C-alpha cells in the first residue's frame, strides 16, 4: 500500500466497480434506446421536436450522471474507503468511468442506433458529434463541476450543484450590469441581450444612435485572453484536482 499506483491493484478495483455498477451502464443504454425509439415513432406521426432534444439528452447524461452515483455518505462508504487501494486509484477509476467510458458509451450507442435505424427507414439523422475541441472542453468543464459537487455536497448533489450554478450565473449577470452601467453608460445592451455567455465573452455591444442603435464589435484584449485560459485551466483540470483532494480528505 506504499505505492500510489499499482496496475494489478487498480485492475482488481475496476473489476469490483464493474460488478457493482454494471446496471448503471445498462440503464444508460436502455434509456437512450427508449428515447431514440420514441423520437422515431413520434416523428412519423407528428413533428421531429423530440429529435431536436436528442443532443441535449446525450450531453445531460454525460454531464450529470456522476450526480446519481451511489453517494459517498451511504452506509457502504466506510467499506469503500477501507478497500486496499490508494486514493489516487479511487479517483482515477472515477475519472475513467465518467470522462472516458460513459461518453464513449453514449456516443457509441448513438452510432449503433443510427446504423440500425438506417436498415428500417429511408431517412436517417446524423450522428451526434461536436464540431471542434472547444465543444469537448466545454462538455468536460461542465461535467467537472458536477464531479466536484458529487464529492463535496454528497446528498442531493445534483439539485445542490444546479442551484450553485444558477446562483453563479445570476451573480455574473448582476455584476456585469453594474460594471457596464457605471463605467460604460453609453452602452444600451451587449450581444444577445446580456446572456451569461455574452457577458463572459463581451465580444460586442450596442450604443444608441438617433432613433436606433449601432452595433460595435470589440476585439479580444490580452486581459481577456489571460482570463479565458485561466478559466479553461480551472474548468475542468482545476476541478478534477480539487475533487481528488476532497476524496483524499474524506478518506482521512
Amino acid at each position: 500500500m506504499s505505492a500510489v499506483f499499482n496496475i494489478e491493484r487498480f485492475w482488481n478495483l475496476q473489476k469490483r466497480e464493474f460488478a457493482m455498477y454494471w446496471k448503471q451502464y445498462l440503464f444508460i443504454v436502455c434509456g437512450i434506446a427508449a428515447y431514440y425509439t420514441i423520437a422515431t415513432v413520434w416523428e412519423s406521426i407528428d413533428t421531429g421536436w423530440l429529435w431536436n432534444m436528442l443532443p441535449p439528452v446525450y450531453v445531460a447524461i454525460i454531464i450529470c450522471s456522476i450526480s446519481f452515483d451511489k453517494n459517498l455518505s451511504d452506509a457502504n462508504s466506510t467499506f469503500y474507503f477501507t478497500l486496499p487501494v490508494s486514493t489516487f486509484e479511487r479517483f482515477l477509476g472515477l475519472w475513467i468511468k465518467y470522462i472516458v467510458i460513459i461518453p464513449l458509451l453514449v456516443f457509441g450507442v448513438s452510432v449503433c442506433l443510427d446504423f440500425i435505424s438506417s436498415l428500417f427507414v429511408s431517412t436517417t439523422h446524423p450522428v451526434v458529434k461536436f464540431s471542434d475541441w472547444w465543444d469537448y472542453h466545454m462538455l468536460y468543464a461542465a461535467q467537472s463541476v458536477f464531479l466536484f459537487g458529487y464529492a463535496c455536497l454528497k446528498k442531493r448533489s445534483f439539485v445542490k450543484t444546479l442551484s450553485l450554478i444558477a446562483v453563479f450565473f445570476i451573480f455574473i449577470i448582476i455584476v456585469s450590469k453594474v460594471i457596464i452601467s457605471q463605467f460604460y453608460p453609453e452602452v444600451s445592451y451587449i450581444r444577445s441581450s446580456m446572456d451569461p455567455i455574452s457577458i463572459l465573452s463581451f465580444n460586442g455591444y450596442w450604443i444608441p444612435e438617433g432613433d436606433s442603435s449601432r452595433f460595435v464589435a470589440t476585439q479580444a484584449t490580452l486581459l481577456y485572453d489571460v482570463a479565458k485560459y485561466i478559466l479553461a485551466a480551472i474548468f475542468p483540470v482545476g476541478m478534477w484536482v480539487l475533487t481528488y483532494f476532497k476524496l483524499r480528505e474524506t478518506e482521512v
Side-chain angles (χ1 to χ4, degrees):
M1 284 300 299
S2 59
V4 175
F5 180 78
N6 179 277
I7 186 64
E8 182 178 357
R9 195 170 60 199
F10 179 71
W11 176 246
N12 290 331
L13 174 66
Q14 291 305 100
K15 289 191 294 184
R16 173 191 177 274
E17 293 296 300
F18 181 79
M20 291 187 64
Y21 299 112
W22 64 270
K23 290 183 180 179
Q24 182 182 14
Y25 301 118
L26 182 61
F27 288 154
I28 291 175
V29 173
C30 293
I32 294 176
Y35 188 94
Y36 194 100
T37 303
I38 294 172
T40 303
V41 174
W42 187 262
E43 185 182 37
S44 64
I45 61 178
D46 192 8
T47 60
W49 69 271
L50 282 177
W51 277 107
N52 298 330
M53 292 298 297
L54 194 58
V57 168
Y58 289 160
V59 171
I61 291 174
I62 294 173
I63 291 176
C64 304
S65 57
I66 178 62
S67 298
F68 300 96
D69 206 331
K70 180 168 285 291
N71 206 285
L72 292 180
S73 62
D74 289 341
N76 72 332
S77 60
T78 302
F79 175 75
Y80 177 76
F81 284 124
T82 55
L83 289 174
V85 293
S86 66
T87 305
F88 177 76
E89 289 165 343
R90 265 186 271 270
F91 171 76
L92 182 60
L94 193 69
W95 190 91
I96 290 176
K97 178 180 179 181
Y98 289 101
I99 308 302
V100 180
I101 297 177
I102 287 185
L104 288 178
L105 179 65
V106 169
F107 291 115
V109 171
S110 71
V111 171
C112 293
L113 289 174
D114 186 73
F115 173 75
I116 295 172
S117 176
S118 66
L119 300 178
F120 299 97
V121 296
S122 57
T123 58
T124 60
H125 300 81
V127 177
V128 177
K129 59 183 179 180
F130 294 128
S131 57
D132 54 38
W133 71 270
W134 185 252
D135 293 330
Y136 290 99
H137 178 272
M138 293 298 293
L139 176 71
Y140 287 124
Q143 187 198 57
S144 68
V145 176
F146 283 90
L147 182 66
F148 183 68
Y150 164 78
C152 289
L153 302 176
K154 296 181 170 55
K155 289 185 177 180
R156 300 181 181 87
S157 63
F158 176 70
V159 175
K160 292 179 181 179
T161 304
L162 280 181
S163 301
L164 289 177
I165 292 174
V167 170
F168 171 76
F169 276 114
I170 291 173
F171 174 78
I172 291 294
I173 291 173
I174 293 174
V175 171
S176 300
K177 286 186 176 182
V178 171
I179 291 175
I180 291 174
S181 63
Q182 292 297 318
F183 298 99
Y184 303 93
E186 74 280 6
V187 176
S188 56
Y189 57 94
I190 67 173
R191 186 190 295 271
S192 302
S193 303
M194 300 287 291
D195 68 271
I197 303 301
S198 294
I199 290 170
L200 294 176
S201 62
F202 198 70
N203 58 352
Y205 56 88
W206 297 83
I207 59 175
E209 192 173 77
D211 297 331
S212 60
S213 297
R214 177 171 60 89
F215 181 74
V216 179
T218 59
Q219 295 181 350
T221 63
L222 176 61
L223 180 61
Y224 168 73
D225 286 336
V226 171
K228 178 180 178 181
Y229 288 114
I230 290 176
L231 288 174
I234 295 175
F235 303 96
V237 178
M239 301 303 291
W240 290 342
V241 173
L242 290 176
T243 301
Y244 166 76
F245 282 107
K246 182 60 182 179
L247 290 176
R248 184 177 180 180
E249 173 189 332
T250 307
E251 182 176 2
V252 174

